[in-house]
Amino acid sequence: MSALLPFDDAFARLLSHADTLPGTETIDTMNADGRVLARALVSSLDVPPWDNAQMDGYAVRAADLAASPDGVFPVSQRIPAGHQGQPLQPGTVARIFTGAALPPGADAVVMQEEVEAGLQLPVGEGTGVRFRVQPASGAWVRRRAEDIAAGSTVLAECTRLTPAAVGLAASIGAATLEVRRRPRVACFFTGDELVMPGQPLPAGGIYNSNRFVLNALLRRLGCEVLDLGIIPDSREATRQALREAAEGADLIISAGGVSVGEEDHVRPAVEAEGQIDLWRVAIKPGRPLAYGRVGRYGPEGARAAVPGSFAHFIGLPGNPVSAYVTFLLFVRPFVLRLQGIQVVEPQAVTLISGFDWTNPDRRREFLRAVHLPDGRLGLFRQQGSAVLTSAVVGHGLIDNPPGQTIRQGDAVRFLSFAELLN
């Protein structure tokens, strides 16, 4: 049996196979959240396009107020957002509202809370306002192009779009965006014991949670999912599922059947239909992880394999937590890299342990942890690879080196589920 691969070696080898998939499409910006930009987005305009008021108040010449600090100034005009004001006449002020363009001649805004309104002007001239503060030039003014200058790159190529990034694209008038096409991912699940929710549970059966977890994770990453369902525990059925998946998918993912038991048919089936390049990683949970490639075939069947044409294959363990953790640590970066994203390693933070871990494994461990009220990390009460509750109640994973004990007060490397699910 082959030796276990260290985590870092397995991670590097896996990503070395993840070339960016060809193909782009143009979509409405409104529907672009989660997609990956195919080309950099360059602004054709300044944002904001003019000097404007940061809040409701009065547009003024700062020098006029400095020259007459106790004066009462007539209000010469009213400028709501979306309307263009007239040049500000010397000795007057303009009522202005948040987002409205400053009138020519004004150089500051005084918020309305700092203004006395309705004061009497000389007979026949109506009422005016007095200011409690002396603003500096530029006070409460958003300057033209202070956010974005015309000609600047606002979103780099291969940016994974967030709601804020979509809004940024809209702010420069981008109605559509060119994005990478979605990875097509086929998945299947092995085990004669698996039963779908809603069906009676026979003796020895278990409900198939992995199918729901992996479908949700893949869709969250922007994939098109081809769900092949539950595959019987047989070599031929597994090979047939691989052939079917390879025809339409960029990546095939299986859950279960990649270990060494008599009923584990996935690894030998992949070897019969292609090749295994990576198998068994020194991590806990998730040791039976596998990577390989499955060939696509021409119209003459298995004897006419298309040279150089294949689908990637990643085999996950069958235990729910093992499948979940290995997906987050390996499949997620792989799928992101297929979409052209280069920085795919999850960002860890250093936190303080609030527990003792005195019997570490020889493999690199990923311990399910919870935030304690005092800011330290505690362990979820059960660390078994079938305890899916730990992935729901837990807040993330402690990345613990092989053989490393942990004592209360030790610094540990923490991977938040919020980061891993992003």
Side-chain angles (χ1 to χ4, degrees), residues 258-271:
V258 288
S259 193
V260 293
E262 291 183 9
E263 296 299 323
D264 291 321
H265 300 292
V266 173
R267 186 176 63 88
V270 173
E271 290 176 324

Side-chain angles (χ1 to χ4, degrees), residues 360-378:
D361 199 271
R362 291 179 296 174
R363 294 168 287 169
R364 187 164 167 178
E365 296 176 288
F366 291 89
L367 307 170
R368 276 85 73 202
V370 295
H371 292 297
L372 299 176
D374 61 6
R376 298 183 300 168
L377 287 176

